[in-house]
Amino acid sequence: MQRVSLRAILAASVLLALGNATAAFAQFPLPTPPPLPTPPPPLPPPVTVTLSISGNEALGTFDIAGIGADLKIVFENVVGLTSSALDVTATLVNPVDPGLLSRLSAGGLVGIPVGYPVVVRISPSASSALSFEGAYIVSFHTHNLHLDPDLPFSLFKSSDGGPFKDITKSEGRGSYRDDGSGGDFSEFLIAVDLRPIDAVVAEKFDDVQALLNNNADTISPDVLATLQANLSLARTLYQSGAIRQAIVAMTVFSRYVKAHGGDDIPDVWRANCSPLINVAGLLRSGAETLRFSLDRKLGR
């Protein structure tokens, strides 16, 4: 009888084991890897908003994939307001875009509503001869949002790609209307603002104070002193819980700015004239949005 070596027996055993394993795996195929996530569809391109002019008002409307608004800009005293004086574009944005959210800051308490992810940019055209005095009012009226006290919206504005700041001065019920004011132009969006109202009020007091500090050398000393006294009084009243009296004090502040705009406080904005700062318009806008937040606190 032929003798079989131990080495041959071991080699045959290994081959048999591998064959059986292959047959077993063939009956239990490896799981299919999950499909890669489908990238979101591309956003529609920005749309140009055509303005029509009626006296001291510029009116426009836009709709992007069913998301839109009626836009109105109202000036007090304006020169050179034509349909081509301002370039206006509306853009749908990604509501979780990290770059955009970083400009809203506030630790994630301010966000972009999924139902209204729109940034509107308003800027003077290259050939614009527009100029205005004081503050303007900008209004957005949309059927895509509805006023909800538990989900407060605010109108935010940014200058030159910087941080967005709340400029809300009033809001309307039913289909949502949000009004703000300003002394210059740039980007606007409606955001969900879940910050504690006291934090909002404190920030707005600081913003008005910063406007006074940064533009002190352009304001007549006596006028500056009166404005500082009014602002300090309003803050003291607010901190003591006298909210209604603080609102009155900020109303006095705003009216005083308007009364002294021109000779005592620079109050003119001109297109394509960047060194010119409309200090009065910015101060009034800051005072008006502060008053709105004080009133919002009063209602809570």
Side-chain angles (χ1 to χ4, degrees):
M1 177 183 295
Q2 187 176 5
R3 300 177 64 182
V4 180
S5 69
L6 179 61
R7 179 178 297 179
I9 293 173
L10 291 174
S13 299
V14 169
L15 290 173
L16 178 62
L18 289 175
N20 291 337
T22 301
F25 279 123
Q27 298 179 44
F28 299 97
L30 292 175
T32 304
L36 294 174
T38 303
L43 293 169
V47 299
T48 299
V49 181
T50 302
L51 297 178
S52 61
I53 307 302
S54 176
N56 65 338
E57 298 182 357
L59 309 170
T61 186
F62 64 88
D63 186 292
I64 313 174
I67 297 177
D70 297 320
L71 167 68
K72 180 165 67 173
I73 309 169
V74 182
F75 298 91
E76 294 176 336
N77 297 300
V78 64
V79 176
L81 180 59
T82 66
S83 59
S84 60
L86 293 169
D87 289 335
V88 182
T89 57
T91 305
L92 287 190
V93 297
N94 180 354
V96 293
D97 176 7
L100 193 55
L101 292 178
S102 69
R103 296 169 60 194
L104 290 165
S105 65
L109 294 177
V110 180
I112 300 170
V114 174
Y116 201 75
V118 180
V119 172
V120 174
R121 181 172 182 82
I122 303 174
S123 59
S125 63
S127 60
S128 178
L130 178 70
S131 68
F132 67 89
E133 295 177 354
Y136 63 83
I137 297 173
V138 59
S139 176
F140 293 89
H141 178 213
T142 177
H143 293 277
N144 297 107
L145 298 174
H146 297 275
L147 186 62
D148 182 351
D150 296 325
L151 194 65
F153 297 116
S154 295
L155 179 61
F156 280 71
K157 172 180 172 292
S158 165
S159 296
D160 300 323
F164 280 94
K165 290 283 188 179
D166 179 5
I167 64 165
T168 313
K169 69 184 296 290
S170 66
E171 59 185 358
R173 297 183 179 277
S175 55
Y176 191 65
R177 190 194 75 246
D178 208 339
D179 300 340
S181 63
D184 57 6
F185 292 103
S186 193
E187 294 173 299
F188 301 82
L189 63 80
I190 295 174
V192 180
D193 191 351
L194 299 179
R195 294 174 294 169
I197 189 61
D198 286 316
V200 175
V201 170
E203 180 178 304
K204 290 185 178 183
F205 268 117
D206 291 343
D207 287 345
V208 178
Q209 184 63 66
L211 282 170
L212 280 180
N213 294 344
N214 295 339
N215 298 282
D217 59 343
T218 69
I219 303 173
S220 297
D222 291 345
V223 171
L224 178 63
T226 300
L227 290 175
Q228 183 60 69
N230 288 338
L231 181 61
S232 298
L233 173 62
R235 193 192 288 260
T236 299
L237 289 167
Y238 159 71
Q239 291 172 340
S240 68
I243 308 301
R244 293 186 187 278
Q245 291 87 338
I247 293 173
V248 171
M250 288 312 302
T251 301
V252 172
F253 178 98
S254 185
R255 289 175 178 172
Y256 192 81
V257 172
K258 184 176 181 179
H260 289 269
D263 292 337
D264 297 320
I265 310 173
D267 70 342
V268 175
W269 181 92
R270 290 194 183 95
N272 305 311
C273 187
S274 55
L276 194 64
I277 300 176
N278 180 0
V279 179
L282 295 175
L283 285 172
R284 288 173 58 194
S285 175
E288 287 165 1
T289 191
L290 173 53
R291 273 195 343 228
F292 171 81
S293 292
L294 288 169
D295 189 65
R296 183 175 267 183
K297 176 177 174 61
L298 199 62
R300 291 186 178 180

